[in-house]
Amino acid sequence: MSASMNPVSPSVTPPPDKRVILEASGLSKRFGGLLANDDVSLSLGTETGKVTSVIGPNGAGKSTFFKMLAGFCTPTTGKVRLFGEDITGLNPHKISARGLVRTFQETTIFPELTALEHVALARQLSRSANDFQVFANTLSARRDEDRMRADALEILRFLDLDGVASSVAKTLPHGYLRLLGIAMGMAASPKVLLLDEPYAGLNPDETDRAVELTRKIAASGVSILLVEHDMKAVMKISDHIHVLYFGKKIAEGTPEEIRNNEQVIEAYLGKEDEDIGL
Ligand SMILES: Nc1ncnc2c1ncn2[C@@H]1O[C@H](COP(=O)(O)OP(=O)(O)OP(=O)(O)O)[C@@H](O)[C@H]1O
Ligand SMILES: [Mg+2]
């Protein structure tokens, strides 16, 4: 029997599972002679509202990995699927519109705008993909603007930040600015939220508060992917952890499994529990 007569070719791959929230397969990124990510795969599975962390030493490739997921940098090889759809190489705005959102950094904060205006602006930008309504002074744009502000206030309330809604950014302490960045990410109605070192520079109380908020966001059904050096926070908040080392994934597992993984201890966590405050 010739191959063309065989109705089921062994090379046919099954269609991607649309229930799988996010799946990176074999992602690599080369910067000249440096392989910043080397064949990294990760799946968030099908259960929403989980916190998954990516840890590893400085320069391990964590931020590069996030940038590839969110479209800020094109993978050299590999694929990213969001709910089964191939999003590899799409621009960040298109990826964000599909529900995979990277939080705003402090560099995207305007000193003279209020917290509410920041969140409303982030929402407007996320909603107005390819039209110019944001800039057009039409009645419908104004009506939109009112709705955006109402939505923004609701987001600030949800994150317990409504108390600073009308404070201008330049008067807000660092801890609040970090939370404002998260609120701006939430404005895009993410299904998956990427947080790159959200607790950096926070004092222990602020970190506790930010960890609590991260949990609250996850509990609302948003899947969180977190890069963070604060191991105490990571171990407390994560459902699952992936470890990068020199661009390669060397382990994944529950916090308990990662804490006791010899290779991870050797490469990153250190032998003494005190090293990471556990
Ligand atoms: N645009 C770039 N051009 C060249 N090299 C880059 C670029 N971006 C990152 N790198 C290099 O890729 C490697 C991984 O960097 P990356 O920022 O992803 O690490 P990281 O794990 O996020 O580190 P950190 O914990 O310090 O934030 C580093 O050696 C870095 O210098
Ligand atoms: Mg980084």
Side-chain angles (χ1 to χ4, degrees):
M1 189 168 81
S2 76
S4 61
M5 289 171 70
N6 184 351
V8 186
S9 157
S11 65
V12 171
T13 47
D17 187 344
K18 289 190 184 307
R19 294 168 311 154
V20 175
I21 300 163
L22 179 70
E23 187 168 35
S25 343
L27 282 190
S28 296
K29 181 67 188 180
R30 181 173 285 286
F31 293 115
L34 177 88
L35 203 49
N37 270 219
D38 184 0
D39 195 24
V40 178
S41 297
L42 168 157
S43 172
L44 293 191
T46 55
E47 207 177 327
T48 57
K50 296 277 176 201
V51 178
T52 305
S53 294
V54 178
I55 63 170
N58 291 117
K62 306 177 298 292
S63 295
T64 303
F65 181 65
F66 269 23
K67 284 178 194 159
M68 287 194 284
L69 296 180
F72 290 86
C73 127
T74 313
T76 307
T77 58
K79 242 189 193 33
V80 184
R81 290 187 187 280
L82 184 66
F83 298 104
E85 304 278 335
D86 188 350
I87 58 162
T88 325
L90 292 186
N91 71 44
H93 199 101
K94 287 211 168 100
I95 292 178
S96 159
R98 287 167 181 238
L100 177 64
V101 174
R102 183 180 174 217
T103 48
F104 287 77
Q105 307 295 311
E106 272 181 52
T107 45
T108 42
I109 289 194
F110 303 98
E112 304 294 337
L113 292 188
T114 66
L116 183 76
E117 285 163 345
H118 276 89
V119 181
L121 186 67
R123 190 155 183 92
Q124 217 158 20
L125 289 172
S126 78
R127 291 295 137 108
S128 56
N130 287 311
D131 66 51
F132 289 89
Q133 276 209 328
V134 181
F135 308 105
N137 192 18
T138 62
L139 183 63
S140 101
R142 270 201 299 275
R143 232 184 278 129
D144 267 2
E145 202 181 302
D146 287 345
R147 204 184 58 228
M148 298 298 162
R149 290 176 79 89
D151 291 350
L153 189 58
E154 202 177 304
I155 290 163
L156 288 174
R157 264 197 209 114
F158 175 74
L159 296 175
D160 205 16
L161 288 171
D162 47 319
V164 296
S166 52
S167 304
V168 290
K170 67 180 178 190
T171 66
L172 289 174
H174 174 73
Y176 277 95
L177 292 176
R178 304 295 312 216
L179 296 178
L180 181 57
I182 297 178
M184 290 167 76
M186 285 297 285
S189 305
K191 295 181 178 119
V192 182
L193 190 60
L194 305 186
L195 303 173
D196 195 347
E197 300 196 31
Y199 315 137
L202 301 189
N203 68 36
D205 284 347
E206 289 171 332
T207 303
D208 283 349
R209 183 163 178 225
V211 164
E212 222 171 89
L213 279 183
T214 312
R215 266 269 153 240
K216 191 173 177 190
I217 292 169
S220 76
V222 177
S223 301
I224 306 270
L225 199 51
L226 174 76
V227 162
E228 184 50 59
H229 283 289
D230 182 336
M231 278 307 117
K232 226 176 177 170
V234 165
M235 292 296 170
K236 191 166 141 193
I237 198 174
S238 306
D239 295 296
H240 203 77
I241 300 175
H242 299 257
V243 187
L244 287 187
Y245 188 60
F246 285 111
K248 276 186 190 293
K249 194 167 102 174
I250 59 166
E252 71 170 283
T254 62
E256 197 52 32
E257 286 164 350
I258 294 303
R259 199 186 269 135
N260 295 308
N261 182 302
E262 276 302 321
Q263 207 186 349
V264 177
I265 293 171
E266 201 67 48
Y268 182 46
L269 294 182
K271 292 228 174 285
E272 300 296 325
D273 278 353
E274 295 90 284
D275 286 354
I276 51 167
L278 297 176

